[in-house]
Amino acid sequence: MTDSGKWEQAVQRLWAVSAALVLAGAGLTGTAVPSGAAMPGMGATASASACSTAWGSGVKSTAEAGAVPLRNVTVSRGACFDRTEFHVTGPSAKVGHHVGYVETFRQDGSGDPIPVRGGAILQIFVSAPSYDPVTLQPTYAGRAGKPLPGVNVAGYKTFRDTRFGASFEGQTQVGLGVRARLPFRVLQTRDKLIVDVAHTW
C-alpha cells in the first residue's frame, strides 16, 4: 500500500471515531431534557428514565408564612408532566404551600363547593396573597369559582380545568382538575412555586 493509501485509511478511521462520539453525545443529551430550572421531562421528547415520576400522590406541605404577593399563574406542557407555576415577587424566601387531592373543591373561608372538571381535583394553597398586604390592592385577578385568568389547558395530557378558590388570610387557593389521581411534585425556584403533575404513573 502506498503512503497515500495509508493516509486515506487513517483519515477514514478518524472520521468514524468522530461520528461515533457525536452520536454518543446526542444519546446522552436525549436522556435528560433540561428546563429552565435544569429539571428533566420538559423537552419535546424524553427517555423512559427521564420520565421517572416516583413522586407519589400524597399531600405535600411546608409551613412557611406568606407575605409576598402572588403576581401570576401560568401553565406549560412537558414530555413527562404538565406544569403550573405560581409567580411571586420579593425576597427569595421559601413560599409555604399545601398541595393534595380532595374529593370536593370548597372555597376557603366560605366552604362553598366549586365544580372542577376532571377525574381528580388537586387543591393547591400557596402562602402568597393575591393582593398587596400593605395597600390591599389586588395583584392577581383571580375570581372565585372562575377559571384562572389567561390560562388555557385545552389539549393538555393531564390538566383538564383550573379554578380560583380564594385569597384568604394570606394565602391563595387554586383547584386544578386533572385526568386522574396522578403523581405530583412541588418545587421552588427563586420567584416561582412549581407544581408538576405526571402524565402517567
Side-chain angles (χ1 to χ4, degrees):
M1 182 180 295
T2 65
D3 290 341
S4 175
K6 291 178 181 179
W7 173 254
E8 289 178 1
Q9 282 188 351
V11 170
Q12 288 173 354
R13 284 196 298 270
L14 181 60
W15 275 109
V17 170
S18 299
L21 289 173
V22 168
L23 290 174
L28 289 172
T29 302
T31 301
V33 183
S35 72
M39 288 172 287
M42 287 301 289
T45 58
S47 71
S49 61
C51 279
S52 175
T53 52
W55 310 327
S57 59
V59 170
K60 296 168 179 62
S61 182
T62 61
E64 284 83 356
V68 178
L70 178 69
R71 299 292 180 183
N72 198 15
V73 182
T74 59
V75 295
S76 58
R77 288 180 282 184
C80 306
F81 49 78
D82 291 349
R83 167 170 289 185
T84 305
E85 295 182 333
F86 295 83
H87 301 249
V88 296
T89 57
S92 57
K94 287 289 186 181
V95 177
H97 60 270
H98 185 88
V99 185
Y101 285 103
V102 294
E103 294 297 323
T104 303
F105 184 57
R106 296 185 179 277
Q107 185 183 30
D108 193 23
S110 71
D112 294 338
I114 296 174
V116 183
R117 292 181 290 106
I121 303 169
L122 190 63
Q123 179 171 252
I124 304 169
F125 284 100
V126 180
S127 296
S130 297
Y131 53 86
D132 188 300
V134 177
T135 66
L136 301 183
Q137 293 300 309
T139 59
Y140 179 66
R143 295 175 56 197
K146 301 297 183 181
L148 300 181
V151 170
N152 183 0
V153 296
Y156 276 56
K157 189 167 184 177
T158 291
F159 292 168
R160 294 293 182 267
D161 195 12
T162 65
R163 297 287 157 171
F164 187 83
S167 186
F168 184 67
E169 294 186 343
Q171 63 181 3
T172 296
Q173 176 198 28
V174 166
L176 188 61
V178 298
R179 182 171 54 81
R181 196 182 179 99
L182 292 159
F184 69 92
R185 66 179 175 182
V186 181
L187 306 165
Q188 184 171 349
T189 65
R190 183 181 59 82
D191 58 354
K192 296 174 188 174
L193 185 78
I194 298 166
V195 179
D196 292 334
V197 185
H199 291 164
T200 60
W201 278 97

